[in-house]
Amino acid sequence: MTSASSNSLDHRISLRQRLALRGIDGVTLLVLPAVLFLLAVFIYPFIYGLILSFKPKEGGTFANYRTFFSDPFLYDTILTTLWLAVPVTIISIAIALPVAFRVRLMTHQRLLTTILVLPVTLGTVLVAEGLLNYLGPQGWFSRTLMLLGMIDRPVKLTNNYWGVFSSLIITGFPFTFLLTLSYVSGVDPALEQAAATHGAGSWQRFRHVMLPLLVPGLAIAFCLSFVQAFAVFPSAVLLGAPAGPTRVISIAAYQAAFEQYDYSMASAIAMIMAVVQLLIVVAVLGIRNMFYRGSTAGGKG
Amino acid sequence: MIRDTTIGAKLWITAVWVVVAFFVINLLAMIATVIMSSFATRWLGTWLPAGWTTNWYFTAWSEFQLSDVLIVTFQIAFTVVALSGLLGVTAAYALARRDFPGKKLVMLLFLLPLLVPPITFGIPLATVLYQAGVGGTFWGVVLANLVPTVPFVILVMIPFIEQIDPKIEAAARVFGAGTFQLFVHVLLPMLLPGILAALLLVLVRTVAMFELTFLTAGPTSQTLVVALYYSVFAAGVRAVQSIDAMAVVYMVTTLIWLLIALRFVNPTQIVARAKQQQTTA
């Protein structure tokens, strides 16, 4: 017979050991501050915003959403944003893929990748500011085209769709490219060499060996680039026509929050934004699942 | 390596490099425009400015109160760096060393702030911060900027910590090192390159982070990039060259840190956040 106190001691030790066996001990607790912090400043505001969006200034529970989807000035922003984000993402991927195929063969990638990191670092505000001069009617871009005789009067590339488009390409392409490059370099070159040994041409090697292996990575690159492009804000204001053709959804959300002080409506628009992004990401990942998934490393067995 | 020698393949390779060159030339020309304009006396309708001057820097410095803005920018950036290092490295250590139930959920929690664009979570976050009374203040901006940087530090540090053999820690324990001693004398020296790289990237990201700072900053807590946005937004009020001078100041402040950071990290690491280490058999 054991006494009650030693029994509870046994129990305490075994509980601690049981937790340690499952990987929970003092070290694991170190993760808690970061988790609690993100719960407080990331998850909580999201839930708060979601609830707030159902408590409109006036009207019933769904009044904000009803207003959004009945006012073309508001719901058109979804299409405007998609009309910018989807072409930019597709073009970025389409250019990034062949370039990554060449760059992976280079021995000195560092200079090129460093140049490409520049726009990611400088950020959208500086790129928009630079492009206002560079693409403007007196800028070097139009001047060069005129010098080459390709156009006879300056092309209008600022304060419209194309201004925002170019700034999204400049800030978005490097991001897409570096992601794509990391996937392309992850594929074992032996696989391609094996295909070449068996007489596959360069197109056949790409179509039947590399592309199937890269589809999962490209889908992720597409999602990440799309989500970034969909949230375009400063360049749409500075370089576009924020009242008309480039009135993107983040402008609508910003105006609701900081010009009309209707935080409930702003939260509703932010939620709609998140849902549209989520839908596209889920669709792309759904398509991805229909392709091969597995190791991109060559095996010997 | 496979060599393609057909004419079609050569044309294709040339076309690829032409595209890259076109992109890089436009990018560099755009940056050159900004720099040149900031030193120009008058630049209208010609290839090059009419004359050169450095006066715009003095004008911009006083007009935009750049010394105040720079001080605020660095106060915010270094506070964010310190706090995200503290929260991030400890969490990364736990995640690298332990497997526990719910670890996948925790990893998802750390991935989401990096995947969701700042403007999407920034608006509800700004609402909450303004309701709590910290919106528009120094700490509001710091809190908002920490949301993406803490997960960033965690994801960059996990592979660094995993590289260190746990036997080294075990050996230190055997010789009687406490947790604090273990951290200061054993882990910190080995992790220093990784921590330095992660924190420098956090610094660059914070100086360049527009959306979150824009949504939460008040008049006294604006960083350089937000001040630049407002001056471009109100263009026409001030001379273009003076705005460009400010843009150059901004460029220099970010690029210095980027160049230092690039000495420690591979550029692909800046965007490919949680790339799994691939081992080829």
Side-chain angles (χ1 to χ4, degrees):
Chain A
M1 285 291 271
T2 48
S3 71
S5 68
S6 78
N7 205 354
S8 77
L9 192 71
D10 278 350
H11 182 72
R12 221 169 53 229
I13 290 167
S14 69
L15 177 70
R16 205 172 154 170
Q17 280 172 338
R18 273 213 308 275
L19 282 175
L21 278 177
R22 301 196 65 187
I24 298 170
D25 59 10
V27 172
T28 320
L29 294 182
L30 288 176
V31 82
L32 273 183
V35 168
L36 292 178
F37 175 75
L38 281 174
L39 285 178
V41 293
F42 182 73
I43 301 292
Y44 170 71
F46 233 98
I47 295 169
Y48 180 87
L50 186 66
I51 295 170
L52 189 68
S53 74
F54 290 113
K55 288 181 185 162
K57 271 186 172 172
E58 49 200 53
T61 316
F62 295 101
N64 281 330
Y65 294 92
R66 212 172 289 135
T67 315
F68 186 91
F69 286 107
S70 58
D71 184 356
F73 193 56
L74 289 172
Y75 68 71
D76 273 354
T77 56
I78 297 185
L79 282 182
T80 309
T81 320
L82 284 176
W83 184 234
L84 271 167
V86 173
V88 164
T89 315
I90 291 175
I91 290 175
S92 297
I93 298 250
I95 298 176
L97 194 57
V99 175
F101 265 79
R102 298 314 310 172
V103 171
R104 84 191 151 129
L105 303 175
M106 286 165 68
T107 38
H108 302 290
Q109 301 174 0
R110 204 160 168 108
L111 179 67
L112 183 65
T113 41
T114 305
I115 293 176
L116 288 177
V117 166
L118 276 183
V120 179
T121 317
L122 294 176
T124 41
V125 176
L126 189 106
V127 171
E129 210 272 333
L131 287 180
L132 268 180
N133 280 332
Y134 178 64
L135 294 179
Q138 298 291 338
W140 282 350
F141 190 78
S142 280
R143 255 167 204 292
T144 311
L145 289 187
M146 272 153 70
L147 188 76
L148 295 175
M150 288 158 89
I151 48 168
D152 39 278
R153 102 179 92 128
V155 273
K156 187 168 163 54
L157 288 170
T158 52
N159 300 103
N160 62 10
Y161 176 85
W162 294 107
V164 186
F165 185 87
S166 0
S167 94
L168 277 177
I169 290 275
I170 287 203
T171 46
F173 171 74
F175 177 80
T176 317
F177 169 74
L178 293 175
L179 267 181
T180 314
L181 181 65
S182 71
Y183 289 119
V184 171
S185 343
V187 178
D188 191 340
L191 293 172
E192 210 187 350
Q193 271 157 12
T197 311
H198 288 277
S202 52
W203 169 249
Q204 284 174 311
R205 288 199 305 269
F206 173 73
R207 175 65 192 82
H208 296 290
V209 179
M210 297 301 281
L211 189 60
L213 289 173
L214 286 172
V215 163
L218 289 182
I220 300 282
F222 182 94
C223 290
L224 289 177
S225 316
F226 168 78
V227 162
Q228 298 299 328
F230 193 80
V232 52
F233 178 66
S235 58
V237 177
L238 301 178
L239 207 49
T246 69
R247 194 180 131 86
V248 293
I249 190 161
S250 37
I251 296 182
Y254 173 76
Q255 284 178 340
F258 295 97
E259 284 174 20
Q260 291 145 19
Y261 297 102
D262 187 347
Y263 290 113
S264 169
M265 186 68 195
S267 300
I269 300 177
M271 294 304 141
I272 292 169
M273 201 156 117
V275 168
V276 175
Q277 287 165 349
L278 196 70
L279 284 179
I280 301 273
V281 168
V282 167
V284 170
L285 293 184
I287 296 171
R288 177 183 95 140
N289 281 345
M290 303 191 312
F291 290 89
Y292 167 84
R293 290 180 73 181
S295 167
T296 50
K300 279 189 182 139
Chain B
M1 204 177 93
I2 305 159
R3 291 229 172 262
D4 291 309
T5 44
T6 59
I7 292 180
K10 278 184 181 159
L11 276 178
W12 173 248
I13 293 169
T14 318
V16 167
W17 287 121
V18 166
V19 170
V20 175
F22 180 76
F23 183 87
V24 171
I25 287 172
N26 276 295
L27 174 67
L28 295 180
M30 179 207 91
I31 295 174
T33 313
V34 176
I35 297 173
M36 214 170 255
S37 164
S38 73
F39 288 108
T41 47
R42 198 171 161 279
W43 191 8
L44 276 172
T46 45
W47 279 94
L48 290 174
W52 306 96
T53 173
T54 50
N55 281 339
W56 297 112
Y57 285 88
F58 299 105
T59 322
W61 199 267
S62 56
E63 251 182 274
F64 301 113
Q65 290 151 351
L66 280 189
S67 44
D68 290 348
V69 174
L70 274 172
I71 291 171
V72 171
T73 305
F74 283 112
Q75 277 173 343
I76 288 174
F78 282 105
T79 317
V80 169
V81 163
L83 288 175
S84 52
L86 209 64
L87 286 168
V89 174
T90 47
Y93 182 71
L95 287 167
R97 285 287 182 251
R98 294 285 183 273
D99 269 315
F100 52 90
K103 191 176 170 182
K104 281 204 169 143
L105 206 66
V106 171
M107 286 305 287
L108 184 70
L109 175 69
F110 291 143
L111 267 173
L112 275 178
L114 294 174
L115 301 182
V116 180
I119 201 113
T120 315
F121 67 79
I123 285 176
L125 176 64
T127 312
V128 169
L129 288 178
Y130 274 104
Q131 300 240 321
V134 285
T137 66
F138 177 84
W139 287 105
V141 177
V142 169
L143 279 178
N145 273 291
L146 280 172
V147 176
T149 55
V150 169
F152 180 81
V153 172
I154 295 176
L155 293 181
V156 172
M157 286 311 295
I158 287 178
F160 270 104
I161 297 174
E162 280 172 344
Q163 283 167 13
I164 292 177
D165 195 338
K167 282 181 196 139
I168 297 173
E169 288 152 59
R173 290 270 189 207
V174 168
F175 288 110
T179 308
F180 181 74
Q181 282 175 309
L182 173 76
F183 188 77
V184 171
H185 295 293
V186 181
L187 285 175
L188 200 60
M190 284 195 287
L191 288 178
L192 208 58
I195 295 180
L196 215 57
L199 293 186
L200 276 168
L201 292 179
V202 166
L203 193 66
V204 176
R205 284 171 72 103
T206 311
V207 173
M209 170 53 78
F210 170 72
E211 284 91 347
L212 290 174
T213 315
F214 177 66
L215 291 174
T216 50
T220 53
S221 51
Q222 270 181 23
T223 63
L224 195 50
V225 67
V226 177
L228 179 64
Y229 171 86
Y230 280 121
S231 66
V232 182
F233 186 68
V237 183
R238 294 197 172 87
V240 183
Q241 290 96 321
S242 146
I243 297 171
D244 283 328
M246 181 168 168
V248 172
V249 172
Y250 164 75
M251 238 188 307
V252 170
T253 35
T254 30
L255 290 185
I256 287 174
W257 299 110
L258 179 71
L259 287 178
I260 299 174
L262 284 174
R263 292 187 63 88
F264 296 96
V265 283
N266 186 346
T268 43
Q269 226 171 343
I270 297 175
V271 289
R273 284 119 173 185
K275 207 195 138 203
Q276 303 278 308
Q277 290 277 307
Q278 262 162 348
T279 46
T280 40

